[in-house]
Amino acid sequence: MDALHERFIARIAAALDLAASKVSATARLLGEGATVPFIARYRKEATGSLDEVAITAVRDRLAQLTELEQRREAILKSLAERQLLTEALKAAVDGAETLSALEDLYAPFRPKRRTRATIAKEAGLEPLADLLFNQQATVDPLAVAEAFVNAEKSVPDVAAALAGARDILAERFSEDAATRARLRELYWESGQVRSRVMLGKEAEGAKFKDYFDWTEPVSRIPSHRMLAMRRGEEEGFLLVRITPPEEAAIAILEGLFVQARGTPGAEQVRLAAVDGFKRLVGFAIEAEVRIEAKKRADQEAIRVFSENLRELLLAPALGQKNVLAIDPGFRTGCKTVVLDRQGKLLHHDVLHATAGGAQQVAQAGEKVRILVDRFAIEAIAIGNGTASRETEQFIRSLHLPAGIPVVLVNESGASIYSASEVAREEFPDEDLTVRGSVSIGRRLMDPLAELVKLDPKSIGVGQYQHDVDPNALQRGLDDVVVSCVNRVGVELNTASKQLLGYVSGLGPSLAANIVAHRNEHGPFRSRRDLLKVPRLGPKAFEQCAGFLRIREAGNPLDASAVHPERYDLVDAIARDLGCGVGDLMRDGNLRARIRPEAYVSDEVGLPTLRDIVEELAKPGRDPRQRFEAFAFQAGVEKIEHLQPGMKLPGIVTNVTAFGAFVDVGVHQDGLVHVSQLADRFVKDPAEVVKVGQKVRVTVTEVDLARQRIALSMKANPQIGGQREQRSAPNAPRASQPGSGRPGGNPAVRGQGRPSGRPASGAGLDPGAGGWNALADAFDQAQKR
């Protein structure tokens, strides 16, 4: 392992409350190029069975400390080159444990632009500043300043000399490491986030009116409010400051630098301290705190997004079925495709089933019956956008065989896929509508395999994702996708290169090589054949092999999660039981005779042996829940059908910091505010609901004018009725550009059809409706 990383082990172990040996082993494996899923699954003995969360935390801490070390080296080099590095300073820099502490030490020596203090120094006023700072009772500032008056150096009088000396002291105080550390602590303990409307922007910025006069402790402000305020500021409607109690801040500087109170020199030092805070260090620390507050808000938003994405990616899969997939529409008809069990496009057509005359509807019904019979359809997928319930009603009216489930499929991102390079590569001769319908059908068969083709930000389960650090967001979401793909496993002979690209140890280049090799030489017959793929060497094979499946392989272990490096061990276990590996996988009685402890060695411990025995019982098992068809309430298809007090089945489409959005089948998701999620106090909505979860809700309020629905999951909720005045005055618009859901920008969707259901918090402008405003409005409604 890198010597640099060795220095970090104890710090990481203490920070994460892990044994140093586990951290050290994890760091070594990461340094050797092992991935998080591989380490978690196949190196349990080395890490003491650390899970992916802990391994990821070790990885991220290593990256942070490496960044700190690189900055330390850069600072030392800069100081040395300018001959400013003393032994004491080097010791202090070497001992700094945080980036803030490091930058505080470097602040007095950082090359800077010409300031008021440097101008004063050029005028020869630094000795005067030193005299003042000593605060000797016998020193009269006015008298000693006389000697520094020099018109040629722009010091025309005593007042100018003293002002220049104070400028030097103010800058000196602002760059003092202890001062900055104490002020930073004060900002976090007592600082307030304050937002005010910009003068003359009241009407234009009305969407941010909740923040026209808002104050909240920076230590407790929720992520969504911090991001909303920053958005308002960036758009020029709000002025946002983070400030501590000014008296307390100035008292810190006075306590550090005013030593001889009552003397004339001390008064000059006090004035310099006040100026140093108000003009220099106060703004500097505020900038730091703003950056850190934004970082914390980003982290929370990314956490919420990641949790939602994980639930969506791990949604139950219907499996390999012949599917009739329909992208509903009114005027332009329903774009319909037929997919075989591998997701291959067999046929496409347009059905005029929801608009037009009775003859067209009858013709559409006849077409569906013919397609169902001709292609042995086993399931019907209907996108949940515009005309979805009408299309569902049409399909059910055909009285098709009862064994064919009719499923409304979340089509978030289908339009993004249809216009993507991936879709053009898959279907170069088909238009956007056909590609979108294919995506809907495949989403039913295997959500994970289809969703990995999309940028996660377009899927529609985020909260303020367009306001967070894009690099941090991408890293967080990539971790989730990689984790989910490797947890489920990938069928080597049918997986797309996009799906393969997320497999441990591969990536886009090797994934493309695998697909090219498969197309040229036919399906892989064993995992070992992967070594024939160009540029796929032993290390990549070690990382990826256990996560790839070959269902029809000669060796049954190739269809399991048993790693090839343990095939010999499984063979030995089978021989000891006098059977073959296949017999061992089929016969539970044989497996019951396995004594894992008898096979423990220096390389293999009980954790791996137990995993192997478990895998032999259910080879290649899918960890996702079993698929169950879901149906919305019959007869409730539009928001106009809703009445307060109705109890309805629904599906959670998004979980945010202030509640959950639920689809009840009326083209408009309703909000279950965090206060309505349970009959108990709920701090984090994710404790109660997950994306894709089937729930039972009660309609508490309906605002037809603004298309708002308030829902509750309480046993006996208070019913508010249809009272428009109670709805959120700045509730979200029904669609936003880039939301990735029907109802988004038609240019993004790639189809000029009418907008459908609104986005469930994905990509929404927090001010253009402000989800925070909606939550706060409901808070107020609850108090009334």
Side-chain angles (χ1 to χ4, degrees), residues 419-442:
S420 69
E421 182 62 34
V422 174
R424 289 194 293 272
E425 184 178 326
E426 283 193 279
F427 304 103
D429 300 323
E430 305 297 346
D431 65 18
L432 300 176
T433 62
V434 172
R435 297 170 189 164
S437 301
V438 169
S439 183
I440 291 169
R442 289 177 173 176

Side-chain angles (χ1 to χ4, degrees), residues 460-600:
V461 291
Q463 176 185 330
Y464 301 109
Q465 64 261 38
H466 298 298
D467 293 287
V468 305
D469 177 356
N471 294 325
L473 176 62
Q474 195 63 54
R475 286 193 300 270
L477 300 184
D478 282 348
D479 279 347
V480 172
V481 178
V482 167
S483 173
C484 292
V485 168
N486 289 282
R487 181 181 173 188
V488 172
V490 173
E491 174 54 46
L492 179 58
N493 284 323
T494 59
S496 66
K497 67 179 181 181
Q498 288 77 26
L499 185 58
L500 287 167
Y502 284 106
V503 173
S504 169
L506 296 181
S509 180
L510 285 178
N513 290 351
I514 288 173
V515 173
H517 185 277
R518 191 175 69 196
N519 292 339
E520 181 178 353
H521 301 284
F524 290 89
R525 298 182 181 279
S526 75
R527 283 170 166 167
R528 287 289 173 190
D529 286 346
L530 280 166
L531 293 169
K532 300 175 183 178
V533 173
R535 300 210 309 273
L536 199 158
K539 187 66 181 179
F541 178 81
E542 175 193 62
Q543 295 294 308
C544 75
F547 301 105
L548 297 170
R549 312 278 184 265
I550 304 177
R551 303 296 178 190
E552 306 300 327
N555 187 335
L557 292 177
D558 280 348
S560 74
V562 176
H563 198 284
E565 65 187 5
R566 303 300 173 217
Y567 283 9
D568 290 343
L569 174 60
V570 178
D571 288 339
I573 293 173
R575 282 196 305 271
D576 290 346
L577 294 174
C579 67
V581 172
D583 299 325
L584 199 56
M585 298 172 79
R586 288 187 294 269
D587 192 336
N589 292 326
L590 287 171
R591 292 193 300 274
R593 293 167 54 192
I594 298 174
R595 294 177 52 250
E597 59 275 8
Y599 298 94
V600 173

Side-chain angles (χ1 to χ4, degrees), residues 751-765:
Q751 303 175 47
R753 72 181 190 178
S755 60
R757 65 190 303 104
S760 295
L764 285 178
D765 207 71

Side-chain angles (χ1 to χ4, degrees), residues 133-135 253-263 266 269-270:
F133 183 70
N134 288 335
Q135 304 170 58
L253 274 80
E254 290 182 353
L256 287 169
F257 302 114
V258 181
Q259 304 301 327
R261 294 182 182 276
T263 65
V269 172
R270 188 192 69 79

Side-chain angles (χ1 to χ4, degrees), residues 132 137 197 201 216 218 289 293 320 356 609 612 643 692 696 756:
L132 297 178
V197 63
K201 296 287 187 178
E216 186 167 8
V218 67
V289 173
Q320 295 184 326
L609 286 161
I612 289 173
Q643 293 294 329
R696 190 84 178 171

